Amino acid sequence: MGNSENNNKELTVEQIREIAAQLRNPTGEKGIEMGHIMNEANVAMIDHTFETLQPVSGESILEIGHGNANHLQKLIKMAPGINYTGLDISETMHLEAKKYCAENGLEGQTTFVHYEGQTIPFASQTFDKIFTINTLYFWESPEAYLNELHRILKPGGKLLITYAEEESMDKLPFTSYGFTKYSPDKFEKLIQNSKFKLESNRQYVEKITSKVLTYDERKFRVGVLMC
Ligand SMILES: C[S@@+](CC[C@H](N)C(=O)[O-])C[C@H]1O[C@@H](n2cnc3c(N)ncnc32)[C@H](O)[C@@H]1O
């Protein structure tokens, strides 16, 4: 995700609200298009998350909010024997992710689950690692949700949360509609109120210039949380 004020200058409030809604829960043809835009614009966030995740063959790894999952070939190449599960509230993204995996021979080691966004449908101590990119803004009860993620991680497991900083999000008009923005301080306080211990919250700065999105300086972080 990412767009500059210039990109959105000509948009009406309805169009900006529509972008916000599609980012939160991509739906239909426009949702499919948004899935591709996100995957392209968020490549640095995805790459730094994978680098920090250090996936190891044999691990069970959950991703929350995978979008169209077009990043999975890269992840599975890093650790061919992982068992990946993707959980998303968007039926459109759920179907797109399954289609992508079927077309790329990844069906055997990927599972996708569609849910309503609150109750996490997995048994306690199921996963070695969990990661999520650009979904924190949409969590309705973040402390309770974090504690659910803690429950489904194995002891010693890790949760990675990748998020754009509030300062960068403020430059995007659509983030005024249904997004909760996090400064690094606010993020750290959230973690202190959960069952997790914060191991690191490293900052990255990137410039995005793609055919659909430009962003002079996006600051984002990869938060690493320990069980
Ligand atoms: C902004 S997109 C980010 C997609 C991808 N992770 C990326 O960074 O490019 C948000 C994704 O998370 C999903 N999502 C939003 N809230 C969610 C929740 N509470 N649980 C799981 N998925 C959620 C949306 O359906 C969408 O696929």
Side-chain angles (χ1 to χ4, degrees), residues 2 13 16 22 31 38 44 58 68 72 84 91 98 102 112 117 130 138 142 150 164 168 173 181 195 209-210 220 227:
V13 171
I16 294 170
Q22 287 291 357
M38 293 187 296
N68 67 13
L72 284 190
Y84 170 97
E91 194 174 4
K98 281 171 74 160
F112 292 95
I130 301 176
F138 309 119
H150 190 277
S168 293
K181 303 174 206 176
K195 294 183 180 168
T209 34
S210 73
F220 70 88
C227 253

Side-chain angles (χ1 to χ4, degrees), residues 124-135:
S124 298
Q125 302 188 4
T126 300
F127 298 102
D128 296 290
K129 292 174 181 166
I130 301 176
F131 70 96
T132 188
I133 306 169
N134 286 315
T135 71

Side-chain angles (χ1 to χ4, degrees), residues 18-120:
E18 169 71 10
I19 293 171
Q22 287 291 357
L23 286 165
R24 184 188 194 95
N25 187 347
T27 308
E29 285 303 316
K30 282 190 177 164
I32 292 174
E33 192 187 336
M34 185 57 86
H36 289 293
I37 291 172
M38 293 187 296
N39 205 260
E40 180 190 354
N42 296 330
V43 66
M45 296 180 101
I46 293 166
D47 286 352
H48 285 298
T49 305
F50 289 175
E51 183 188 292
T52 310
L53 188 69
Q54 298 184 332
V56 174
S57 284
E59 285 180 337
S60 290
I61 298 183
L62 173 68
E63 179 175 12
I64 311 279
H66 47 73
N68 67 13
N70 282 201
H71 49 289
L72 284 190
Q73 261 191 321
K74 208 184 261 180
L75 178 67
I76 288 170
K77 204 166 164 202
M78 286 173 80
I82 58 166
N83 293 306
Y84 170 97
T85 302
L87 181 67
D88 205 296
I89 59 167
S90 159
E91 194 174 4
T92 301
M93 290 300 100
H94 174 77
L95 296 174
E96 281 288 289
K98 281 171 74 160
K99 186 168 140 227
Y100 170 80
C101 287
E103 287 169 358
N104 289 282
L106 304 175
E107 279 166 308
Q109 60 190 118
T110 56
T111 304
F112 292 95
V113 179
H114 175 232
Y115 81 133
E116 93 308 331
Q118 302 285 339
T119 311
I120 299 191

Side-chain angles (χ1 to χ4, degrees), residues 125-178:
Q125 302 188 4
T126 300
F127 298 102
D128 296 290
K129 292 174 181 166
I130 301 176
F131 70 96
T132 188
I133 306 169
N134 286 315
T135 71
L136 172 64
Y137 334 115
F138 309 119
W139 296 0
E140 280 169 24
S141 311
E143 285 90 357
Y145 196 75
L146 274 174
N147 289 338
E148 269 295 277
L149 297 182
H150 190 277
R151 177 184 67 75
I152 62 171
L153 270 172
K154 294 178 187 171
K158 270 188 192 185
L159 165 63
L160 271 57
I161 301 178
T162 302
Y163 63 101
E165 291 183 20
E166 181 169 31
E167 179 192 321
S168 293
M169 296 288 273
D170 277 342
K171 295 179 187 159
L172 308 172
F174 55 77
T175 64
S176 301
Y177 301 96

